[in-house]
Structures are given as C-alpha cells and as structure tokens.
Amino acid sequence: MQKPKISIVLPIFNVEKYLPQCIESVINQSFIDFELILVNDFSKDKSFDICKLYKEKDNRIKIINNNKNYGCSLSRKIGLNSASGEYILFIDSDDWIEKSMLSELFNAATLDNYDIVYCDYYYYDILGNPTYIKSTLYNDTVKNIKEFILGSGKGVFLWNKLVKRQIYKKIEFPIEGYAEDKYITLQLFHEIKKIGYVNFALYHFRYNLNSMSRNPNFQISRFNDVLGNYTNILFYLFVHYSDLSIFQPELNKRIKYIEIYNPKNISNIIKSILKSIVPSREVQYFIRNILNRFKSN
C-alpha cells in the first residue's frame, strides 16, 4: 500500500462537543492523499464512539485508543509513531481547518523542499468572535527562540505547521502537557533548515474553557507543566549554546514571570528542578550560578 503524503495526528480527550466539526474539516479537504490518526486519550465522554463512527465512513482514518490518559504531548508522540506520511500535521481536536489547508501547505512545502511550512490562523474568543492572527518566523534561530520561546509564544503552536516527518523523529516530546509546544518548537528551530510560509489564515483556533490551558481546576497542573517544560528549555539552551547571555533580556523576563506565576520562592523552584532534571553536579552548579545572576539583574 502506498504511503500517504501527509499524516494528520489528532489527540482527543473529552471533546465530543467539537470533535465532529474537527474531523469533518479534515476528511473534506480538497487534498485527499493523507491519513488521519485519531488518538483517543482515555476519554470519558462519547469521543471514542465518534471516532469509530467516522472510521466506518472513511478508510483514511486510523484509531489509537490509549489505555490510560497520557496527555496531549505523549498522545501526539504515540500518533507520530504510527504515522507513515512524508509530512506531519498536528491538529487540536476542539479546532478546525480550512478546506484548502492541506493543499496550500503541501504545495508550498514541495515547491522548494521546505522542512516546515506554516500559515496564519483565526483566533476565536470566548464569545466566538474571530481575530485574524498573523504568524511570522525568521530565518534566524536565536531570534526565533528569543521572540517565540522566551517571549510572546505566538509562533510556537504546532497546529499551523506542516513538518517533514523525518525531522519530528528527532524531537523529544515531554511528559508535561502544558507549554509543551514551546519545548517542541524550540527543538524544531534547531533542526529545520528551510522555512516556508503561506500568507493565509487556514487554521481556526477556538478558546475552550474546558481545555487544560483554560480550566481553573488545572491551575496547579499548569504551573507544574510550565516549570517542567521551561526546565527542559533552559537545559536544552545550555547544552546547545556556550553563552546564554545572547538570549537576554528575554530569558531574564521569563524567569521572573515564572517567579510571579508561582507562589513559592524562586530559589526553591530552582533547587527542585535541578535535583529532578539535571543529574550532573557540575551542570547543576553552572546553571545555578546563571540563574542566580539572572535573578540579581
């Protein structure tokens, strides 16, 4: 059987309200050479039944049914491990895409052999009002890291980016499920050589009060995940750069933001993450000195 050009990975958890619209927007694409991998992450609602219903209608759909809740990041990884397409597109299950999204991104990617192609998107607020969001990435890795990983974050989403599967195979997917896009995209910035852009809004991003990023019941989990993923980011930067001062003042601002975000003292945070993430005493000592320097600025 011939491999599809694109594999679309869709992690799913308790989204029965939005899932049909999302799946419909994929299976009705003008570009037809794709597989849709639905990763049901131990949903408690009717999401899995909806997945099975659509699989009966479309043989391009594959279902993976997790035996426990792994979270979005690891569910993406599970779906990626099952993918066979030349390119990968991740979609969030409470969003939807334009009918031409796959064709626009794929045509752009193959036109000049881009490693990654991204597009603009619409953001829908809590009332359902759309706003056109312009996306901009640079052909400068450090600038991308400063602005999007340590800064605003508007360029870090995975769902508006078509990426070569061979590149994603090099990426570590963290356990933490909130702010994981930043750590993943940070790695992408280091792996990609050629970036393409489609000057249209092809993705529809919905504000969902029940998602982990919005639900107040997940506030503690969100902070722990933010802490874990920024620890991953800090260690990754330390490994790949000899001088972290090139990321100032953004790095300093980000550390202070985490301090404000958490009621605990920042020194306790640093102590705990160094113990749990960085095993080498020499590395712990080096990063501790760096963080203390940033803290005193």
Side-chain angles (χ1 to χ4, degrees):
M1 183 176 179
Q2 187 175 1
K3 295 181 179 180
K5 297 295 185 183
I6 299 175
S7 293
I8 303 160
V9 178
L10 184 65
I12 296 165
F13 179 68
N14 292 349
V15 284
E16 62 179 10
K17 179 178 179 181
Y18 304 117
L19 187 55
Q21 181 184 20
C22 181
I23 296 177
E24 289 280 351
S25 73
V26 175
I27 63 177
N28 290 319
Q29 288 288 297
S30 57
F31 183 93
I32 63 174
D33 191 5
F34 67 86
E35 64 177 353
L36 173 59
I37 303 173
L38 306 176
V39 185
N40 179 46
D41 193 26
F42 211 63
S43 296
K44 301 299 184 181
D45 63 359
K46 296 180 181 179
S47 293
F48 184 49
D49 293 332
I50 294 172
C51 291
K52 292 188 291 185
L53 179 64
Y54 277 100
K55 179 175 172 54
E56 293 175 358
K57 297 180 179 180
D58 197 317
N59 60 12
R60 295 172 297 180
I61 294 177
K62 296 163 58 175
I63 299 177
I64 298 174
N65 194 30
N66 292 346
N67 58 7
K68 66 177 183 178
N69 182 253
Y70 287 101
C72 181
S73 179
L74 293 185
S75 291
R76 283 171 169 168
K77 179 64 173 178
I78 290 169
L80 178 63
N81 289 341
S82 179
S84 58
E86 182 180 355
Y87 291 88
I88 299 293
L89 178 67
F90 291 111
I91 297 178
D92 285 356
S93 54
D94 46 4
D95 301 333
W96 72 100
I97 61 177
E98 287 289 316
K99 187 174 183 178
S100 62
M101 182 171 183
L102 295 187
S103 61
E104 293 282 0
L105 294 183
F106 182 79
N107 289 340
T110 55
L111 180 65
D112 201 15
N113 194 30
Y114 289 116
D115 297 318
I116 180 173
V117 176
Y118 68 99
C119 64
D120 299 336
Y121 61 94
Y122 289 103
Y123 167 74
Y124 292 78
D125 64 21
I126 193 172
L127 299 177
N129 301 313
T131 301
Y132 190 106
I133 305 296
K134 192 78 172 175
S135 294
T136 303
L137 294 180
Y138 309 104
N139 289 308
D140 183 328
T141 301
V142 171
K143 189 173 182 179
N144 282 331
I145 292 172
K146 290 180 68 173
E147 181 160 339
F148 303 121
I149 306 301
L150 302 174
S152 69
K154 289 185 178 181
V156 304
F157 301 114
L158 301 182
W159 35 250
N160 68 333
K161 297 174 177 64
L162 186 72
V163 181
K164 286 183 177 178
R165 181 165 61 94
Q166 292 302 316
I167 292 178
Y168 263 129
K169 290 173 68 174
K170 304 175 185 178
I171 303 301
E172 177 189 9
F173 284 70
I175 296 175
E176 295 83 1
Y178 182 69
E180 81 279 7
D181 280 13
K182 288 204 170 191
Y183 180 47
I184 295 171
T185 306
L186 168 65
Q187 299 172 75
L188 288 178
F189 285 157
H190 274 272
E191 296 294 339
I192 58 180
K193 304 301 181 185
K194 299 184 67 175
I195 302 174
Y197 169 58
V198 174
N199 189 20
F200 302 109
L202 301 172
Y203 192 93
H204 298 265
F205 171 47
R206 189 197 314 266
Y207 183 106
N208 182 3
L209 272 175
N210 293 319
S211 69
M212 183 179 177
S213 61
R214 308 294 183 185
N215 194 319
N217 294 327
F218 297 133
Q219 185 173 2
I220 296 177
S221 296
R222 282 199 298 269
F223 171 74
N224 290 334
D225 285 357
V226 166
L227 182 60
N229 277 312
Y230 272 102
T231 301
N232 292 334
I233 289 168
L234 180 61
F235 187 60
Y236 190 91
L237 294 178
F238 164 72
V239 170
H240 290 85
Y241 293 90
S242 59
D243 181 9
L244 295 187
S245 66
I246 62 174
F247 298 109
Q248 291 290 27
E250 291 79 8
L251 182 56
N252 188 39
K253 291 179 180 178
R254 179 55 59 177
I255 292 174
K256 288 182 178 179
Y257 170 79
I258 294 174
E259 180 181 8
I260 295 171
Y261 189 67
N262 180 40
K264 299 179 181 178
N265 184 280
I266 188 67
S267 62
N268 292 332
I269 300 174
I270 296 171
K271 182 178 179 180
S272 65
I273 63 178
L274 288 173
K275 284 184 176 179
S276 61
I277 302 298
V278 185
S280 166
R281 289 186 178 181
E282 291 78 11
V283 174
Q284 289 185 30
Y285 179 78
F286 182 84
I287 296 182
R288 186 182 293 111
N289 285 341
I290 291 174
L291 291 176
N292 286 338
R293 187 180 68 197
F294 292 158
K295 181 184 175 185
S296 63
N297 287 344

